[in-house]
Amino acid sequence: MKNRIIKNLLLKSSLYYLAAALKYYIGNSFVAYFPFEIIRKIFYRNVLGVSIGRETHISMRLFFTGYHNRCLVEIGNNCVLNRQIYLDGRSGVYIGNNVNISFQACLLSLHHDHNDPGFAATGAPIIIKDHAWIGARAIILPGVTIGEGAVVAAGAVVTRSVPDYAVVGGVPAKVIGERYQHIAYKTSFSPFFDTDIFDESNA
């Protein structure tokens, strides 16, 4: 009798984690490829628990990950997240307003300590402040804050926080310039399907 109860508890536990994993699998393998953005947003908000602000564009083929009980990803207003971005919601990704993230960027909030004998996981939230621009295939590592208006060049690997309005590039990323500080634009980009085609007269 006792063994049967234990087996039932394990089964319930396994089913719980299976169901949690299934949410991410469905989201990343099917919903992410659905051509209508409103459907993708409904799933991300209501099933994965992702916070998505007003007038924010979420491209197709994003990849979300998180823990069984939460996906700590918050995206502000008037942002553009392009194709095939990896968003690691385990330790948290917090994106401000008017942020542009180019295709195949990787925002990694959790990794392993290579000096730990047990290869322990370690991480910290990624924070991207207003009007920042993350270039294509850039990698942002755990605990990094990208300052307001900062620019991360394509292909950069950012291991340390970036000051406001700095332009960084390279591996590891270093400051290579400064950005004009009087930024006034509001990002507006709603392409049809998974293209760069949209009504530019309303931009």
Side-chain angles (χ1 to χ4, degrees):
M1 182 68 176
K2 185 178 179 181
N3 289 338
R4 187 180 300 170
I5 292 172
I6 292 172
K7 284 183 179 180
N8 286 337
L9 289 173
L10 288 173
L11 178 61
K12 288 179 181 178
S13 176
S14 297
L15 289 174
Y16 168 78
Y17 287 101
L18 177 66
L22 191 61
K23 292 189 303 184
Y24 290 101
Y25 174 72
I26 291 171
N28 294 324
S29 300
F30 298 100
V31 175
Y33 289 81
F34 202 78
F36 301 106
E37 184 175 358
I38 189 171
I39 301 299
R40 300 195 301 273
K41 285 182 175 178
I42 288 170
F43 183 90
Y44 295 147
R45 284 173 172 145
N46 295 290
V47 179
L48 296 185
V50 174
S51 175
I52 303 172
R54 300 183 307 276
E55 304 300 322
T56 282
H57 169 67
I58 304 292
S59 287
M60 294 170 64
R61 295 180 287 167
L62 267 59
F63 190 100
F64 288 91
T65 190
Y67 286 126
H68 61 93
N69 58 346
R70 69 185 187 277
C71 181
L72 296 177
V73 176
E74 295 183 9
I75 306 165
N77 303 323
N78 298 101
C79 295
V80 173
L81 275 69
N82 219 308
R83 310 171 189 92
Q84 298 178 325
I85 295 170
Y86 182 94
L87 292 154
D88 183 353
R90 291 173 293 180
S91 292
V93 174
Y94 303 96
I95 299 169
N97 302 317
N98 290 291
V99 171
N100 288 264
I101 305 180
S102 300
F103 69 90
Q104 294 183 349
C106 178
L107 281 59
L108 190 66
S109 70
L110 191 77
H111 60 179
H112 293 277
D113 182 352
H114 62 279
N115 285 320
D116 186 276
F119 200 47
T122 180
I126 291 171
I127 299 171
I128 302 176
K129 295 186 178 180
D130 296 354
H131 283 109
W133 176 18
I134 311 300
R137 295 182 177 171
I139 299 173
I140 314 296
L141 294 185
V144 166
T145 294
I146 306 297
E148 181 178 339
V151 178
V152 176
V157 177
V158 186
T159 61
R160 296 181 180 179
S161 292
V162 177
D164 293 350
Y165 300 100
V167 179
V168 301
V171 182
K174 297 178 182 178
V175 176
I176 58 175
E178 290 186 17
R179 189 181 190 187
Y180 182 66
Q181 294 192 14
H182 299 286
I183 297 174
Y185 66 83
K186 182 181 286 187
T187 303
S188 178
F189 182 63
S190 296
F192 295 102
F193 305 112
D194 197 15
T195 69
D196 291 320
I197 308 301
F198 70 110
D199 184 359
E200 297 183 46
S201 64
N202 294 322

